[in-house]
Amino acid sequence: MINRLKTAIVFIIFSLLVCGAAGAYTVKRGDTLYDLFRGKFTPAEIINISKKIKEKVPDFSLQIGDEIEITNDTVIIKINITKEIHIVSNKDGTIEIKVVEYPVNILRTVVSGEITHSLFYAMSKVGESDILAVRMANILEWEVDFFNDIRTGDSFRLVVEKKFCRGKFIGYGKILGVDFVNQGRLIRGLYFEDEKTSGYFRPNGKSLKRGFLKSPLKFFRISSKFQNRRLHPVLGRYKDHNGVDYAAPTGTPIRATADGRVAVRGYTKANGYYIKLKHNNGYYTLYLHLSRFKRSLGEGEYVKQGDIIGYVGSTGYATGPHVHYSIKKYGNYLNPLRFKAPTKKLPQAKMDEFRDDTYVYINMLDNSYMQYALRNNFNGIMYF
C-alpha cells in the first residue's frame, strides 16, 4: 500500500513538473530525456527507452520547442505535426516504443493573382506565402527579371501542391504548372520528370531553364547599359561599354550565369578584382569590380549555374558599387540584355509521355475556375 502511494505521488509530481496543468511540457534549452523522465522511469528504463528510440528514429534528438504530453500510461514526444514517439507503459511492466506517423494529404490547387505593386504583394493579397513567390520567380528567372521587367497588370496562375496533415496546412509541394503574363507575353512552364531529367518545359518541350541566367545578381538595378561610345565616368572620354552595369550594395552575392570553369581570377587597375569564366561553344562571361572573391575559388575550378563566385564592390575604375557583366562568343561582345541564351528541348521520343503527364496541369491553367485533385486520400495513422 505504501509503495503504491509512493508511486502515485511520484507520478503526480512528474505530471505537474513536466506536463503542467494542461498535461503538456515544452522542451527548453538544456533538457534531456533523463531530466524529463526521471520521475516516471528508472535510470535503467530511461537508458533502454533512449536506445529503442534511436533504433527507430536514428536522427532523433530533443529540440527546443518540442512538446511532451502524458495521457494515461503513455508519454508522447511530438517531433512535429506528422510524427510522434509514443512511450507506452504496459500493464505487465514492459515499456513499448511506437513511432506514429500521420498521413500527409496533397491537394492540387490553382493560385492566381495580378501584379499591382510587387510580386510579393500580389501573392500576399491572394493569401499565399512569400515562399511561393520566390519559388515561382526561381522557375522563371531565365525568362523574367522580376525586379525590372514586371509591370502593373502582369498576372500569374499556378498549379501547386498544398500539403495538409491533421487538418492543417503544413507547406507547399511541387509547382506543377505556371502561367506568367509579362507585358502581354505569356510564359507557360509545365513540370515534367522521368528517370533522366526533371524541370519545367514549355508545351513544345523546350526547357524554361536556359544555358545562361538573365543576370548575375538577384537584386539589382541597371546603372549602365550595353552601348557604343559611352562617356566613361572615371576616364572622362568616350569608349565602348561592352557589358551591363548592375548596381547593388557592396557585398551582394554574384552568381555564375552559366556552367563553366574559372579562366581568370585576378586584378587589374581598370577592372579591379574580376573573374572570367569559360563556357561551352566559345562563350565567356566576365564579372568586374568585385569587392572580393568567393573563398577558395581558384582558376580552373568548375562552377555551376547559380553558384556564388564573388561579391559586388567598386574596385578598379568604378564610381560606386556594381558588377560589370559581359558576354563574349568567339571574341565578340554580346549585349546581355538582348542575348537569347540557348535552351534544351526534350527528345521527340519523350513528347508523348510529356503530353500525357502534363495535360491535367494545362487544363487547370486554361480553365477560369478552381480545380483540384486530392492525392493520397486516406485517413488514420501508420505504425511501424
Side-chain angles (χ1 to χ4, degrees):
M1 180 70 179
I2 293 176
N3 289 336
R4 289 181 181 177
L5 182 60
K6 285 182 178 179
T7 301
I9 292 172
V10 167
F11 182 79
I12 291 170
I13 292 173
F14 172 80
S15 299
L16 290 173
L17 291 178
V18 175
C19 298
Y25 174 78
T26 302
V27 174
K28 297 179 177 59
R29 185 181 299 276
D31 283 344
T32 66
L33 287 179
Y34 180 79
D35 295 330
L36 298 175
F37 293 165
R38 61 184 175 181
K40 182 170 178 59
F41 303 106
T42 67
E45 287 174 333
I46 295 173
I47 292 172
N48 188 42
I49 288 169
S50 180
K51 180 181 177 182
K52 288 183 177 180
I53 289 176
K54 284 289 186 181
E55 288 174 356
K56 297 218 171 194
V57 188
D59 60 348
F60 171 77
S61 63
L62 280 178
Q63 302 294 322
I64 297 172
D66 284 352
E67 289 187 358
I68 296 178
E69 182 179 323
I70 286 189
T71 58
N72 298 326
D73 294 324
T74 302
V75 176
I76 301 173
I77 303 175
K78 299 181 179 181
I79 299 176
N80 53 49
I81 195 170
T82 66
K83 184 182 288 187
E84 296 175 348
I85 296 172
H86 290 200
I87 305 168
V88 182
S89 298
N90 296 319
K91 292 182 180 180
D92 61 4
T94 59
I95 297 174
E96 186 179 3
I97 307 297
K98 294 181 180 180
V99 177
V100 179
E101 287 196 351
Y102 294 90
V104 175
N105 292 325
I106 298 178
L107 184 75
R108 286 183 190 169
T109 188
V110 174
V111 173
S112 60
E114 183 174 323
I115 308 295
T116 55
H117 296 82
S118 70
L119 177 61
F120 293 109
Y121 178 81
M123 196 66 76
S124 173
K125 193 174 179 181
V126 295
E128 303 296 340
S129 165
D130 285 354
I131 294 171
L132 193 58
V134 170
R135 288 182 56 190
M136 182 176 72
N138 287 340
I139 292 169
L140 298 169
E141 66 178 333
W142 290 269
E143 296 289 335
V144 181
D145 171 0
F146 279 90
F147 292 90
N148 293 280
D149 290 349
I150 63 173
R151 299 289 186 272
T152 298
D154 286 356
S155 61
F156 61 86
R157 180 181 290 269
L158 303 174
V159 178
V160 61
E161 295 176 339
K162 291 187 177 183
K163 297 180 179 180
F164 295 85
C165 184
R166 300 161 76 180
K168 292 184 179 179
F169 172 70
I170 61 171
Y172 299 104
K174 293 186 183 74
I175 294 176
L176 300 171
V178 54
D179 274 355
F180 194 85
V181 178
N182 175 227
Q183 302 182 48
R185 178 175 67 115
L186 171 63
I187 304 164
R188 169 166 289 184
L190 304 168
Y191 182 77
F192 176 71
E193 180 178 356
D194 64 10
E195 65 280 359
K196 291 184 178 180
T197 187
S198 64
Y200 294 87
F201 298 84
R202 294 178 180 274
N204 63 4
K206 285 188 176 181
S207 174
L208 280 186
K209 182 176 181 179
R210 293 182 176 270
F212 289 77
L213 297 174
K214 288 204 73 174
S215 82
L217 304 181
K218 282 199 171 184
F219 307 96
F220 61 86
R221 66 178 176 84
I222 294 175
S223 55
S224 185
K225 296 182 179 181
F226 186 97
Q227 56 189 305
N228 297 324
R229 290 186 53 76
R230 183 195 69 154
L231 181 64
H232 196 284
V234 175
L235 300 176
R237 56 186 173 84
Y238 286 94
K239 62 177 299 185
D240 292 345
H241 190 243
N242 295 317
V244 176
D245 291 346
Y246 295 96
T250 298
T252 300
I254 299 170
R255 307 175 296 168
T257 55
D259 296 350
R261 291 194 180 276
V262 180
V264 180
R265 173 189 181 275
Y267 179 89
T268 67
K269 185 177 180 180
N271 295 340
Y273 293 109
Y274 77 102
I275 289 176
K276 182 178 183 180
L277 299 182
K278 181 180 181 181
H279 312 283
N280 292 332
N281 303 316
Y283 286 100
Y284 286 86
T285 54
L286 294 94
Y287 313 77
L288 315 183
H289 310 304
L290 281 61
S291 60
R292 58 190 175 94
F293 305 111
K294 177 189 175 184
R295 186 175 298 177
S296 78
L297 184 71
E299 291 185 1
E301 184 172 338
Y302 182 80
V303 294
K304 293 182 178 180
Q305 184 182 69
D307 283 353
I308 294 172
I309 56 174
Y311 301 87
V312 168
S314 53
T315 58
Y317 292 163
T319 57
H322 73 283
V323 59
H324 173 93
Y325 173 62
S326 295
I327 304 174
K328 295 177 76 174
K329 184 174 185 181
Y330 297 123
N332 297 313
Y333 285 101
L334 306 176
N335 184 345
L337 298 180
R338 294 183 178 178
F339 174 57
K340 296 297 183 183
T343 186
K344 296 179 180 179
K345 187 172 182 179
L346 290 172
Q348 189 60 40
K350 280 285 178 184
M351 287 303 295
D352 286 342
E353 181 182 349
F354 170 67
R355 294 188 188 98
D356 289 343
D357 285 1
T358 60
Y359 82 95
V360 174
Y361 317 148
I362 291 173
N363 288 338
M364 295 177 75
L365 290 170
D366 285 345
N367 288 321
S368 59
Y369 57 91
M370 189 75 73
Q371 295 190 44
Y372 65 90
L374 190 62
R375 298 177 60 193
N376 299 333
N377 186 15
F378 54 88
N379 296 309
I381 323 171
M382 291 192 304
Y383 291 92
F384 64 89

